[in-house]
Amino acid sequence: SQQGEEDPQALSIQEGENATMNCSYKTSINNLQWYRQNSGRGLVHLILIRSNEREKHSGRLRVTLDTSKKSSSLLITASRAADTASYFCATTGANNLFFGTGTRLTVIP
Amino acid sequence: DAGVIQSPRHEVTEMGQEVTLRCKPISGHNSLFWYRQTMMRGLELLIYFNNNVPIDDSGMPEDRFSAKMPNASFSTLKIQPSEPRDSAVYFCASSFGTGDYSEAFFGQGTRLTVV
């Protein structure tokens, strides 16, 4: 990818469990965003964390950012079948918005 | 607002033909991105416009690709001549601001198949 990589590439969990996805990136960033993509659809923004923030919450989502390690994680708590989708991290610099390779999450009812 | 609108949703064309993809960003947004998504390469940023001006086109793969934004409400991505390896889903996204602290809104994409 042009900027980041997600880990794992695929994740399968049971409904109600928590899902954790990780993102590593290469260069300095202004902020990091997480997006979700349902099959055959465009991406939808989930949450943004600024480079001077370490943790952020939004509903069942928790995002962490470690700029020293150039990494971020997305935690989805109490997962639901409807959370099944691909999740991407995106980093922004001055003139770009680069996406990682994505994690395919499957939540089994 | 209806969101970012892309057309066509699907395009099948023969190798060597010219293909034009269209995008209408959200009214008031001043940044526009074109992406290409494939299984092999993921989401690639092709070009970024700010206030209708191309700021970064380093992701445009070849001279066969060109993009324009004649006004704030319309952008095109053209491939001439098209090749089978151009087959992919092409997304347009818009945001307000330079993207530093802005979320991007994506269109539904155009699935291009070059045979």
Side-chain angles (χ1 to χ4, degrees):
Chain A
S1 79
Q2 290 170 304
Q3 177 64 307
E5 290 189 4
E6 279 88 339
D7 169 59
Q9 290 189 340
L11 179 62
S12 184
I13 61 174
Q14 295 289 329
E15 198 166 32
E17 294 180 339
N18 295 341
T20 299
M21 289 158 271
N22 303 296
C23 167
S24 60
Y25 55 92
K26 300 172 183 174
T27 62
S28 297
I29 61 171
N30 292 343
N31 68 54
L32 187 141
Q33 306 179 37
W34 283 89
Y35 287 76
R36 165 193 169 126
Q37 183 180 33
N38 286 76
S39 181
R41 308 294 293 273
L43 282 75
V44 176
H45 181 266
L46 294 176
I47 192 167
L48 180 153
I49 185 166
R50 300 187 180 197
S51 59
N52 61 354
E53 297 176 312
R54 292 296 168 259
E55 187 171 313
K56 198 162 184 179
H57 297 254
S58 177
R60 295 185 295 114
L61 304 180
R62 172 178 170 255
V63 170
T64 62
L65 179 63
D66 187 334
T67 53
S68 66
K69 295 181 179 178
K70 291 186 169 60
S71 67
S72 174
S73 68
L74 171 67
L75 169 67
I76 302 175
T77 61
S79 64
R80 305 165 181 169
D83 294 329
T84 294
S86 292
Y87 292 82
F88 295 86
C89 67
T91 54
T92 62
N95 297 309
N96 53 59
L97 179 62
F98 288 134
F99 284 83
T101 52
T103 292
R104 175 68 189 170
L105 173 66
T106 301
V107 181
I108 303 168
Chain B
D1 201 310
V4 176
I5 299 173
Q6 291 186 246
S7 64
R9 289 294 309 276
H10 301 274
E11 176 80 34
V12 180
T13 190
E14 291 185 347
M15 182 174 61
Q17 296 297 307
E18 177 181 296
V19 175
T20 300
L21 311 181
R22 297 173 176 79
C23 174
K24 176 177 167 49
I26 292 174
S27 177
H29 282 188
N30 60 353
S31 291
L32 185 139
F33 307 83
W34 280 101
Y35 291 90
R36 177 172 69 177
Q37 186 175 37
T38 61
M39 289 293 292
M40 291 297 294
R41 295 187 298 270
L43 265 164
E44 301 173 278
L45 175 62
L46 300 178
I47 188 168
Y48 161 61
F49 290 89
N50 184 252
N51 293 322
N52 312 337
V53 177
I55 303 300
D56 185 354
D57 64 355
S58 59
M60 296 286 265
E62 300 171 33
D63 291 345
R64 298 184 296 107
F65 286 70
S66 63
K68 294 182 179 179
M69 192 164 185
N71 56 62
S73 59
F74 185 65
S75 177
T76 59
L77 178 67
K78 184 178 293 186
I79 308 172
Q80 166 64 16
S82 59
E83 297 181 3
R85 59 195 170 112
D86 301 331
S87 297
V89 180
Y90 290 81
F91 286 102
C92 173
S94 71
S95 69
F96 177 73
T98 61
D100 281 10
Y101 297 106
S102 306
E103 67 175 280
F105 293 80
F106 278 74
Q108 293 300 301
T110 294
R111 181 173 295 276
L112 173 65
T113 303
V114 183
V115 298

